[in-house]
Amino acid sequence: MLTDSHCHLASHRFPDGELPDLIERARAAGVGRLVTLATSLEDLQANLTIAENPMVHACIGIHPCDVHHAPDDVVSRLAAFADDPRVCAIGETGLDYYHPAPEGWDEETFRARQRDLLRQHFELAAKSGLNVVIHTRDQEGCASFEDALAIYRDHHRSVRAVFHCFIGPWENAARVLELGGLVSFGGVATFKSARQVRESAAKCPAGSFMVETDAPYLAPEPYRGKRNEPAFVRATAEFLASLRDETLEDLASHTNATASAFFRFRSERK
């Protein structure tokens, strides 16, 4: 069984009535666990409700593109749910330097707000005994990655982080792993143009990465251009297994073990 370590099941692109079939399609594809991530206070409860399904687990956080909507006490509000058995990590949080600052914000103030909330997410994770899911994205270069890595470095002794949907070079992946963190690969790894992503995936040792969809976004080949869904993580896993000269069963085994070590799944709590 595979784990889709990152999806957004509360997205408006997944109508409520479709979710049972969506989860069943994932099960039929060999996906036994789904991690759905909140990105704002507005979709937090919806994700928790979806995580009442025993196959689904939730993360709670504020996406960097939503920090301008979040109240100053937003992390305190998240803290009220940190002990909920449906919650397995803190996130999705991070830094997004790809999208422009929203109306009424200048670029540096918006980015500073993102960095401040990322630090607060790490502090909440440390207090709650949870780990952190990080998003980074740039129009060019890797400034958001560098800034997020610097913040992670300040917290890595108490919290682990996964840099999800990792598309960077092996050198950057290695720096995450040196801090005890993880990376996660999604559909981009299957794209023909994604040479450096494939290099990173080939070089990552077993136990240092997970697989994901980021559904409904970034569907892998051969579904590229379609709405992504958790069942499609199998296509990414098959591609990575072939790339790494592993069997699908071996890749599923070690990525599942990695997910179990990183997330606080309710069925595996001591």
Side-chain angles (χ1 to χ4, degrees), residues 199-217:
E199 180 185 7
S200 296
K203 290 186 175 181
C204 277
S208 69
F209 71 93
M210 297 183 285
V211 290
E212 64 167 270
T213 58
D214 202 13
Y217 315 108

Side-chain angles (χ1 to χ4, degrees), residues 190-209:
T190 70
F191 299 172
K192 292 180 180 179
S193 60
R195 180 188 57 80
Q196 71 177 10
V197 185
R198 292 196 296 274
E199 180 185 7
S200 296
K203 290 186 175 181
C204 277
S208 69
F209 71 93

Side-chain angles (χ1 to χ4, degrees), residues 91-109:
E92 178 176 358
T93 181
L95 305 177
D96 190 299
Y97 296 171
Y98 179 86
H99 292 95
E103 184 177 356
W105 292 69
D106 64 77
E107 205 70 43
E108 185 46 45
T109 302

Side-chain angles (χ1 to χ4, degrees), residues 176-189:
V176 174
L177 306 191
E178 287 170 4
L179 294 178
L182 304 171
V183 294
S184 181
F185 298 107
V188 173

Side-chain angles (χ1 to χ4, degrees), residues 55-70:
M55 274 183 62
V56 183
H57 309 263
C59 299
I60 55 173
I62 306 301
H63 192 282
C65 292
D66 287 301
V67 299
H68 59 298
H69 293 307

